[in-house]
Amino acid sequence: MKKIINEPNAFVDEFVEGILLAHPDLLKTPADDRRVLVRADAPVTGKVGIITGGGSGHLPLFKGYVGRGLCDGVAIGNVFSSPSSAQVLEATKAVSGGAGVLYLYGNYGGDVFNFDLAADLAELEGIATMTAVGRDDVASQPKERSADRRGVAGIMFAFKAAGAAAERGDSLEQVAAVAEDIIDNTATMGIGLSPTILPTTGKPSFELDDGEMEVGIGIHGEPGFHRGALETADRIAERITERLLADLGVGAGDRVAVLVNGMGATPLEELYLLFRRVHQLLTEQKITIDKIYVGEYATSLEMAGASISLLALNDERLALLNAPAESPFFKEA
């Protein structure tokens, strides 16, 4: 597959440099190697800082959620690789305003190890930290093992809510509790239609025959639970929505936020086809949709496919989603 790149090993550093050059009013870096980005006004004195991080290749996840009312900083790994503990610590120090720092990231082994190590190092620096780990991928583990699920597109809801809580002045414990509440009430499932091509190798992350789809695929190409013939948009939406509603225990009279997310190479038109059927299904079941997101929120380079996320809502969760926020990739009025 053709790619618009220079030296493959410079891919991450060069596109991060491009982000910084394009958005100097919103982002800056405290690091010479540009593997840490923070909001332009960091650190904000007296405010809980929020740090996320993970591998590159998922824009706008994770780098796209750094800004006012969102995360305060991000540690940046290579493509599909964890950032180092040193990078996480550097981000932590850069956003620490004296009220502690929340680590909020996806549930992947390398990230968990390095963020935990950074938390120990931050303690030696006198910075209090807490951790909330996104685990919304219902296809990756059954309900009884939800603590082991992968974190995928639904973590956007946690970034938004926790960021709003931190912005209004909540304590570290309160911000962490908000993040956990959102995580516990979010469910996501995705389908893949074609693989991503890794810049460093030029090879696909997985193989999929023409006319096939993979149900339950992860954002790195992790295997799903079903591979078969490509289905219609309506059937895909039905398959996913039914699974999410059952997992969350949502039914008639309940309220939800809906996120229909493109994996990187799926046209917006197709995402709106999916949302159309999701809307029909929820309306038929007398479930109210109070918040809607359709677009690219967590990608996998040029993977074709989509995911659907549902967040069970109450007044507090909705207010946090509606609070002002701004980053180069996300804006809430």
Side-chain angles (χ1 to χ4, degrees):
M1 179 175 285
K2 298 175 182 177
K3 284 181 154 316
I4 301 175
I5 60 174
N6 297 310
E7 167 58 42
N9 290 324
F11 174 71
V12 174
D13 296 315
E14 291 184 346
F15 84 70
V16 173
E17 182 180 4
I19 291 173
L20 285 165
L21 292 171
H23 306 287
D25 56 327
L26 296 175
L27 299 171
K28 64 183 179 181
T29 180
D32 292 337
D33 66 358
R34 294 190 294 274
R35 291 306 181 97
V36 173
L37 295 180
V38 300
R39 51 190 274 183
D41 60 349
V44 180
T45 302
K47 189 187 85 67
V48 172
I50 301 176
I51 292 295
T52 189
S56 294
H58 303 301
L59 272 174
L61 194 71
F62 296 89
K63 292 163 281 297
Y65 297 105
V66 175
R68 180 179 60 92
L70 296 162
C71 298
D72 294 81
V74 59
I76 303 166
N78 287 323
V79 174
F80 298 174
S81 298
S82 172
S84 70
S85 58
Q87 290 161 345
V88 176
L89 178 62
E90 187 162 21
T92 304
K93 292 192 291 186
V95 308
S96 176
V101 174
L102 176 68
Y103 291 162
L104 178 55
Y105 57 92
N107 191 21
Y108 299 94
D111 295 327
V112 171
F113 180 86
N114 286 328
F115 271 87
D116 283 352
L117 179 54
D120 292 338
L121 297 172
E123 183 179 5
L124 297 176
E125 300 271 354
I127 302 172
T129 66
M130 295 184 71
T131 295
V133 179
R135 47 187 189 276
D136 54 307
D137 187 353
V138 303
S140 59
Q141 293 291 347
K143 184 73 170 178
E144 59 269 21
R145 294 189 57 193
S146 59
D148 298 325
R149 287 175 169 173
R150 299 182 295 242
V152 286
I155 198 174
M156 184 276 291
F157 293 136
F159 291 152
K160 181 66 195 63
E167 208 71 45
R168 72 185 178 189
D170 285 14
S171 69
L172 177 58
E173 291 77 12
Q174 290 170 326
V175 174
V178 164
E180 290 288 357
D181 174 68
I182 297 293
I183 290 165
D184 288 342
N185 287 281
T186 300
T188 301
M189 196 167 85
I191 57 110
L193 306 182
S194 70
T196 183
I197 308 299
L198 300 177
T200 52
T201 65
K203 296 180 179 179
S205 55
F206 62 94
E207 301 287 345
L208 197 61
D209 291 339
D210 290 343
E212 282 192 327
M213 69 176 189
E214 179 111 18
V215 182
I217 199 165
I219 58 172
H220 306 99
E222 296 97 336
F225 61 85
H226 170 77
R227 179 174 290 198
L230 178 61
E231 298 171 346
T232 65
D234 282 359
R235 179 60 192 131
I236 291 169
E238 291 160 5
R239 178 194 286 271
I240 295 176
T241 304
E242 290 165 4
R243 179 76 173 265
L244 301 182
L245 292 175
D247 194 87
L248 290 173
V250 169
D254 290 328
R255 304 150 60 194
V256 296
V258 178
L259 165 62
V260 179
N261 170 65
M263 295 289 200
T266 301
L268 270 171
E269 290 88 343
E270 296 177 21
L271 300 182
Y272 280 102
L273 279 179
L274 292 172
F275 176 74
R276 166 187 169 273
R277 186 58 181 144
V278 172
H279 189 284
Q280 291 172 349
L281 291 166
L282 296 178
T283 301
E284 289 166 5
Q285 297 191 44
K286 295 181 170 53
I287 298 168
T288 301
I289 303 173
D290 279 345
K291 194 73 176 175
I292 299 165
Y293 302 90
V294 180
E296 291 186 341
Y297 291 84
T299 66
S300 185
L301 293 173
E302 67 276 81
M303 184 191 294
S307 65
I308 299 171
S309 302
L310 296 181
L311 166 64
L313 285 179
N314 56 25
D315 289 345
E316 170 68 6
R317 294 170 199 149
L318 181 59
L320 291 166
L321 293 187
N322 284 333
E326 183 180 20
S327 82
F329 301 86
F330 185 96
K331 186 173 179 65
E332 195 79 64

